[in-house]
Amino acid sequence: MNILVVGGGGREHAIIKKLIENPLVTHIYALPGNGGIASQAECVPIAATDIEGIVNFSKKNKIDFAVVSPDDPLVLGVVDRLSELSIPCFGPDKKAAAIEGSKVFAKELMKKYNIPTAAHEVFSKSHEALKYVETAPLPCVIKADGLAAGKGVIIANTLDEAREAICLIMDEQCFGKSGEYIVIEEFLTGPEISVLAFTDSKTIVPMVSSMDHKRALDGDKGLNTGGMGAIAPNPFYTKEIAAQCESEIFIPTMEAMKKEGRPFKGCLYFGLMLTENGPRVIEYNCRFGDPEAQAVLPLLKTDLLTIMRAVNEGNLQSVDISFSDNSSCCVILASKGYPQDFEKGKEITFSEDTDNKNMFIAGARLENGKLITSGGRVLGVTAVAQTLKEAIETAYCDSDKVDFANKYYRTDIGKKALEGKF
Ligand code: AMP
Ligand code: GLY
């Protein structure tokens, strides 16, 4: 089978390394892929946001199955376009991807179907939002409606910060059209849990839970990033909490999307917060999380392509999906300065005893056979072990086997999970 994978980060590398385990897979095209993905797939320099480019490439090359991984092409409707070419896809169509593409849509959906989340108000005019925050409890959370490269959420601790955020998003349009509408939300506290789930809109199968580490610096300090590491499973996600989430959040969300005429097929990501009053949805994503996928997929025992095809065919119920009982830890090695200014173009070297099975390249290109840094998040180093403690220790030990000038990583991935504190 010829497989097309849209995307080019660590998450896509983790997906591709799983897909090639299936002997039916003879060739993978990655659009655009990256220098590490090039070891498993043919990388074609077409951006994940270049919908016409992806469609034209798919017309010219025989594609048997497509996996659309990042948010932008999903929200832009690439699955609809590929389906018109009769190419079976893993990933939601445009109508279903709105669950991530519009925070207003997601919040209204949860309100309508009583899915537990933070209380919220929606605004389309900045003066009304500014008036509202005068009396709103602080801190409050201000969110741009549309996609904003993971930067569209601002936690305002003071009234001045709230005013500044509203002006930045709505008047100065720092996220462009994504800020035409904003959501102002109640601030919640508690441990965060990511649950990715396969769904064909009839059956929903949650994967092993995980925990992202979004801030750039140790102790959850510094700026928000795309994610500096992840562990799985998340120890805060007990069996009882899982059962509650399944009946109060996961199934109701799948059913709600169906009732709205937007059946969701693909990977539905639940960003949850475990508050004193129970689990609440913080955000939905219409795809695998990154770096969560780099921690979760190495624990998947069932063949990934089989699951993805069953999702596409509406046959998920027939697949027995299982995960190993082990734990995993993924440490992201980044370029120092990320998520702001950082240098690129540094050679990446690996010590001789490196096992790169669970190393996932994100920001690196190939130059004369050498891997050269080309992004902020350079690679993810995942270790799997019987205990979380061991997985963390091994991931850090393996991280020392990779070297490049400006290498930077957090030293406390998994610490909160291990200590049971948040
Ligand atoms: P997002 O970009 O949607 O992933 O949100 C980024 C982060 O903002 C989340 O991981 C939470 O840590 C935080 N956040 C979002 N909404 C809330 C909320 N209502 N209360 C507290 N923190 C929040
Ligand atoms: N790790 C969070 C995300 O993928 O959005």
Side-chain angles (χ1 to χ4, degrees):
M1 284 179 78
N2 284 333
I3 312 281
L4 171 74
V5 175
V6 176
R11 166 184 56 197
E12 286 74 29
H13 201 188
I15 290 172
I16 287 170
K17 282 192 170 185
K18 274 286 172 194
L19 290 175
I20 56 167
E21 288 176 5
N22 185 316
L24 289 176
V25 175
T26 46
H27 196 81
I28 300 187
Y29 296 106
L31 275 53
N34 66 43
I37 289 175
S39 299
Q40 285 82 30
E42 180 182 340
C43 298
V44 184
I46 295 174
T49 46
D50 178 1
I51 305 305
E52 294 313 317
I54 296 167
V55 170
N56 287 333
F57 179 85
S58 306
K59 276 183 190 160
K60 288 189 202 126
N61 295 275
K62 190 182 163 308
I63 306 295
D64 298 304
F65 194 79
V67 179
V68 182
S69 175
D71 47 6
D72 306 79
L74 291 166
V75 171
L76 290 168
V78 82
V79 167
D80 309 54
R81 297 289 303 279
L82 294 177
S83 302
E84 282 165 18
L85 303 177
S86 300
I87 298 174
C89 296
F90 179 82
D93 65 10
K94 188 174 181 169
K95 273 173 104 176
I99 199 163
E100 173 168 7
S102 167
K103 291 206 157 61
V104 173
F105 169 75
K107 293 298 292 189
E108 298 291 305
L109 184 87
M110 288 186 267
K111 197 174 185 174
K112 183 168 170 186
Y113 292 93
N114 285 320
I115 296 165
T117 185
H120 81 283
E121 297 288 337
V122 175
F123 298 93
S124 62
K125 296 196 173 64
S126 62
H127 69 268
E128 285 171 6
L130 287 166
K131 191 168 161 222
Y132 171 79
V133 290
E134 295 288 333
T135 53
L138 289 168
C140 66
V141 186
I142 299 174
K143 302 185 171 183
D145 175 45
L147 297 183
K151 300 191 183 94
V153 174
I154 297 170
I155 296 175
N157 288 300
T158 64
L159 185 54
D160 275 344
E161 282 174 18
R163 288 185 184 129
E164 198 185 329
I166 293 166
C167 292
L168 261 170
I169 300 175
M170 301 195 88
D171 298 334
E172 293 174 32
Q173 298 174 353
C174 66
F175 303 123
K177 269 183 141 338
S178 287
E180 262 182 275
Y181 291 86
I182 60 167
V183 170
I184 301 184
E185 203 171 271
E186 168 194 17
F187 177 79
L188 301 175
T189 52
E192 286 189 56
I193 303 165
S194 305
V195 179
L196 324 181
F198 293 110
T199 175
D200 62 358
S201 93
K202 293 180 279 187
T203 304
I204 185 157
V205 183
M207 299 177 221
V208 161
S209 61
S210 54
M211 184 193 283
D212 190 5
H213 297 67
K214 283 193 202 309
R215 300 296 195 101
L217 310 176
D218 281 7
D220 291 332
K221 304 241 164 40
L223 293 171
N224 253 326
T225 70
M228 293 300 292
I231 56 100
N234 184 327
F236 290 104
Y237 192 66
T238 61
K239 276 206 173 79
E240 293 72 30
I241 298 290
Q244 191 181 358
C245 288
E246 193 138 352
S247 64
E248 291 178 12
I249 296 173
F250 305 159
I251 294 170
T253 301
M254 180 183 74
E255 295 297 341
M257 289 297 278
K258 229 173 9 194
K259 285 199 188 109
E260 294 295 305
R262 299 169 187 259
F264 189 103
K265 287 173 144 198
C267 174
L268 186 50
Y269 169 122
F270 299 88
L272 307 169
M273 194 173 269
L274 193 55
T275 73
E276 276 183 348
N277 301 317
R280 299 282 182 270
V281 177
I282 289 285
E283 62 163 344
Y284 290 119
N285 290 327
C286 64
R287 50 167 176 88
F288 287 94
D290 196 357
E292 288 95 327
Q294 300 185 50
V296 168
L297 289 177
L299 298 175
L300 176 65
K301 290 207 286 194
T302 313
D303 175 62
L304 182 60
L305 183 64
T306 304
I307 300 172
M308 287 181 160
R309 292 176 80 187
V311 165
N312 168 266
E313 287 157 13
N315 207 9
L316 186 59
Q317 195 195 5
S318 69
V319 186
D320 182 18
I321 298 178
S322 66
F323 285 83
S324 101
D325 291 331
N326 289 331
S327 292
S328 69
C329 173
C330 169
V331 177
I332 298 293
L333 307 186
S335 305
K336 196 165 173 55
Y338 170 75
Q340 290 178 303
D341 297 333
F342 54 84
E343 289 180 20
K344 302 185 239 185
K346 314 291 180 196
E347 185 182 345
I348 308 169
T349 56
F350 299 87
S351 73
E352 267 175 24
D353 60 339
T354 310
D355 172 8
N356 67 8
K357 180 169 178 273
N358 286 328
M359 288 208 179
F360 306 116
I361 307 292
R365 60 188 158 81
L366 268 182
E367 203 176 286
N368 301 323
K370 290 178 178 163
L371 266 181
I372 309 288
T373 64
S374 64
R377 289 195 292 174
V378 176
L379 74 155
V381 179
T382 299
V384 174
Q386 273 182 350
T387 64
L388 177 60
K389 186 168 181 288
E390 227 182 305
I392 295 168
E393 281 165 7
T394 312
Y396 278 110
C397 180
D398 291 348
S399 297
D400 285 341
K401 296 179 181 172
V402 184
D403 205 23
F404 52 92
N406 290 355
K407 179 173 98 167
Y408 169 76
Y409 55 87
R410 272 181 64 161
T411 65
D412 63 347
I413 303 302
K415 188 164 182 269
K416 274 190 303 189
L418 209 54
E419 292 172 353
K421 291 190 202 135
F422 76 94

